[in-house]
């Protein structure tokens, strides 16, 4: 079977949990941190939003660490992620959402 980016991430998280993976402003996130946060997000998405494998979710988030664990959480659930550019507005955004045929849009409060 093909090896996915999720597979590679999880292998690194298992072998090197305390290695830094992501630096954002003054924060450093380890593989373990991102694994934990993506698991939490996957549980919330599954239990409270009812996401199922195969569903498409449009993600309208800024370029922040939340984006990383959201992507991983959706991958863990077997959901497809339609990445929406958070700088797009109006007609272009409506077109992107319609084209994605997503069952849900995840966005930050500022979006």
């Amino acid at each position: 079977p093909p090896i996915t980016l999720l597979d590679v991430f999880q292998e690194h998280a298992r072998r090197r949990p305390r290695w830094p993976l992501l630096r954002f402003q003054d924060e450093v996130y380890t593989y373990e941190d991102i694994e934990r946060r993506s698991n939490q997000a996957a549980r919330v998405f599954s239990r409270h939003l009812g996401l199922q494998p195969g569903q498409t979710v449009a993600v309208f988030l800024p370029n922040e660490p939340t984006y990383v664990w959201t992507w991983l959480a959706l991958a863990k659930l077997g959901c497809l992620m339609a990445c929406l550019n958070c700088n797009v507005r109006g007609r272009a955004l409506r077109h992107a959402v319609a084209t994605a045929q997503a069952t849900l849009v995840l966005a930050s409060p500022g979006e």
Side-chain angles (χ1 to χ4, degrees):
I3 296 173
T4 66
L5 287 175
L6 176 59
D7 295 330
V8 172
F9 166 78
Q10 289 179 319
E11 179 67 21
H12 283 283
R14 189 171 61 255
R15 289 185 180 197
R16 302 171 187 94
R18 291 188 174 75
W19 281 26
L21 172 63
L22 181 65
R23 181 182 302 273
F24 182 77
Q25 297 174 351
D26 294 333
E27 295 287 324
V28 175
Y29 298 90
T30 64
Y31 281 92
E32 182 177 57
D33 296 330
I34 302 295
E35 175 75 349
R36 184 180 64 254
R37 290 171 190 253
S38 64
N39 286 339
Q40 289 170 339
R43 280 192 300 276
V44 168
F45 297 162
S46 176
R47 291 179 185 163
H48 298 286
L49 301 178
L51 289 180
Q52 300 292 320
Q55 282 184 273
T56 300
V57 178
V59 177
F60 190 57
L61 297 173
N63 213 6
E64 295 180 355
T66 305
Y67 192 95
V68 175
W69 55 78
T70 297
W71 172 76
L72 288 167
L74 293 173
K76 289 175 180 185
L77 293 174
C79 293
L80 304 171
M81 181 169 147
C83 307
L84 302 178
N85 184 329
C86 66
N87 295 311
V88 174
R89 297 287 189 264
R91 189 170 163 195
L93 178 59
R94 286 190 302 274
H95 173 73
V97 171
T99 301
Q101 298 180 348
T103 56
L104 177 74
V105 176
L106 292 177
S108 66
E111 305 302 327

